[in-house]
Amino acid sequence: MKILVTGGTGYIGSHTVVELQNKGYDVIIADNLSNSHIDVVDSIEKITGKRPEFIKLDFSETENTYKFFESNKDIAAIIHFAAYKAVGESVEKPLKYYRNNLFSLINILNCMKEFNIRNIVFSSSCTVYGQPDKLPVSENSPIKEAFSPYGNTKQIAEEIIRDTTISTKNINSIALRYFNPIGAHETALIGELPLGVPNNLMPFITQTAIGKREFLRVFGNDYNTPDGTCIRDYIHVVDLAQAHCIAVDRMLNNKGKSNFEIFNLGTGKGYSVLEVIKSFEKVSGVKLKYKIVERRPGDVEKVWANADYANNELGWKAKKSLDEMTLSAWNWEKAYNKKNNL
């Protein structure tokens, strides 16, 4: 059975491809390589013993998207990761985010209708909750005004999918609202490797520790949290990838309660930026250089998940500890640098 993974050479996408192949699925990766490397496909093959099919494609291009689906009518399900995801950049370049993140989804949904592809898992985010009034956040928590254009694209995308499933009864969809993925595969063959300067905390930590960056910037220490830094629910990327496989299985086996379902994916515990730094220093033995700088536009103060619904309904639960997450990220950074003589 063939599964399309858009953005499949990216961070979460590549780990999900590994888990899908380990479960026996045939995977086709489509990615425009705007924030990933083609050699990730080689790494996936080394881990699984099977090479996924790859095509370079930008789903925001309508004609090329149509041609792709016309040639791949046997796709059983889609996992849609392909999107720009940097909060700070989205504040600076909102039109770039609205065009890419929404056009790509609309093109895919149109082709699903045209070629009778029934199932899609959407890579959503806890950003749809904005700054919640009450923590932890459940699937029933109100959707607040987005703090960034990136977050707004996730809100709008969910609305587009919901409305499409209402009007098109034969499309099933699951939106996975996940919190903050970090860590890397246990083989250290794949991990988080953003092009250019990282926007996420963990790769900035590992790149600072190994000497690529002079210091780590901590954006604000005056938030209403115990140590003044932002709090997030960090989840290991492999735990997250496994949840996508379960979501695909659920749709293919017609186990959904409706044709548009939403699940939070998190550990249920929040950690501050400084707590993540301390965890990394403990497992790596490296003292990090960091500086407190001004708050970053678009950042939410604190958010963590109530993942009970995913735990009970999907039979999924995050397993990895924070120390396991930070250690795996460090092992990946060291392995990548050794491999590339950096």
Side-chain angles (χ1 to χ4, degrees), residues 315-326:
W316 168 90
K317 190 174 180 65
K319 300 171 184 174
K320 304 283 189 181
S321 69
L322 180 62
D323 286 351
E324 288 175 300
M325 298 181 216
T326 55

Side-chain angles (χ1 to χ4, degrees), residues 41-252:
V41 179
D42 298 329
S43 298
I44 292 171
E45 183 179 16
K46 288 179 182 177
I47 294 170
T48 66
K50 184 177 181 180
R51 189 173 187 84
E53 184 180 348
F54 174 84
I55 183 168
K56 187 175 181 181
L57 179 63
D58 185 337
F59 285 99
S60 68
E61 297 172 353
T62 303
E63 185 177 349
N64 290 337
T65 300
Y66 186 91
K67 287 179 180 178
F68 167 79
F69 280 103
E70 193 174 32
S71 301
N72 292 276
K73 298 176 183 177
D74 57 342
I75 291 169
I78 300 167
I79 304 179
H80 182 43
F81 292 109
Y84 295 144
K85 62 177 186 177
V87 170
E89 184 187 49
S90 78
V91 174
E92 298 169 3
K93 302 175 181 178
L95 292 179
K96 174 182 178 180
Y97 275 68
Y98 287 119
R99 182 191 183 281
N100 182 75
N101 293 6
L102 299 180
F103 280 20
S104 60
L105 174 64
I106 291 168
N107 286 336
I108 287 170
L109 290 172
N110 273 326
C111 287
M112 288 180 70
K113 292 172 65 177
E114 176 76 18
F115 298 107
N116 197 31
I117 298 170
R118 296 197 58 193
N119 305 300
I120 182 168
V121 177
F122 177 62
S123 167
S124 193
S125 168
C126 66
T127 58
V128 301
Y129 298 114
Q131 179 57 65
D133 296 324
K134 183 180 178 182
L135 291 166
V137 176
S138 76
E139 289 83 356
N140 295 319
S141 296
I143 302 299
K144 305 290 284 292
E145 182 179 353
F147 270 44
S148 67
Y150 161 72
N152 202 26
T153 66
K154 293 299 184 185
Q155 291 184 4
I156 296 169
E158 284 193 12
E159 292 170 355
I160 291 171
I161 294 170
R162 182 200 63 208
D163 292 344
T164 302
T165 59
I166 291 171
S167 67
T168 310
K169 301 299 183 183
N170 65 341
I171 289 182
N172 301 312
S173 58
I174 294 178
L176 298 178
R177 293 175 178 169
Y178 34 87
F179 285 63
N180 287 64
I182 61 174
H185 196 266
E186 62 183 3
T187 61
L189 288 169
I190 54 174
E192 189 169 10
L193 184 64
L195 301 184
V197 179
N199 286 287
N200 294 337
L201 175 62
M202 203 66 238
F204 219 119
I205 285 177
T206 59
Q207 289 185 16
T208 302
I210 211 158
K212 288 182 184 176
R213 309 288 167 192
E214 184 180 355
F215 62 89
L216 168 71
R217 291 178 296 169
V218 175
F219 296 101
N221 67 343
D222 58 349
Y223 287 98
N224 183 28
T225 61
D227 62 22
T229 62
C230 289
I231 291 177
R232 297 288 183 271
D233 187 338
Y234 294 95
I235 178 174
H236 196 285
V237 66
V238 173
D239 284 336
L240 187 61
Q242 290 170 352
H244 288 77
C245 294
I246 293 171
V248 167
D249 290 343
R250 181 179 179 86
M251 290 191 296
L252 294 179

Side-chain angles (χ1 to χ4, degrees), residues 298-309:
D299 277 344
V300 170
E301 181 173 84
K302 49 191 172 185
V303 63
W304 61 89
N306 178 336
D308 289 349
Y309 186 55

Side-chain angles (χ1 to χ4, degrees), residues 259-316:
N259 62 346
F260 178 54
E261 296 187 294
I262 295 168
F263 296 95
N264 283 345
L265 300 180
T267 65
K269 181 173 175 57
Y271 293 96
S272 72
V273 173
L274 291 182
E275 284 178 311
V276 176
I277 289 172
K278 289 174 183 176
S279 169
F280 177 83
E281 290 179 335
K282 181 175 73 173
V283 301
S284 68
V286 177
K287 187 71 175 174
L288 276 175
K289 296 178 182 177
Y290 66 88
K291 293 182 180 179
I292 307 295
V293 299
E294 291 184 358
R295 294 185 181 192
R296 181 172 56 181
D299 277 344
V300 170
E301 181 173 84
K302 49 191 172 185
V303 63
W304 61 89
N306 178 336
D308 289 349
Y309 186 55
N311 298 163
N312 297 327
E313 186 65 27
L314 295 179
W316 168 90

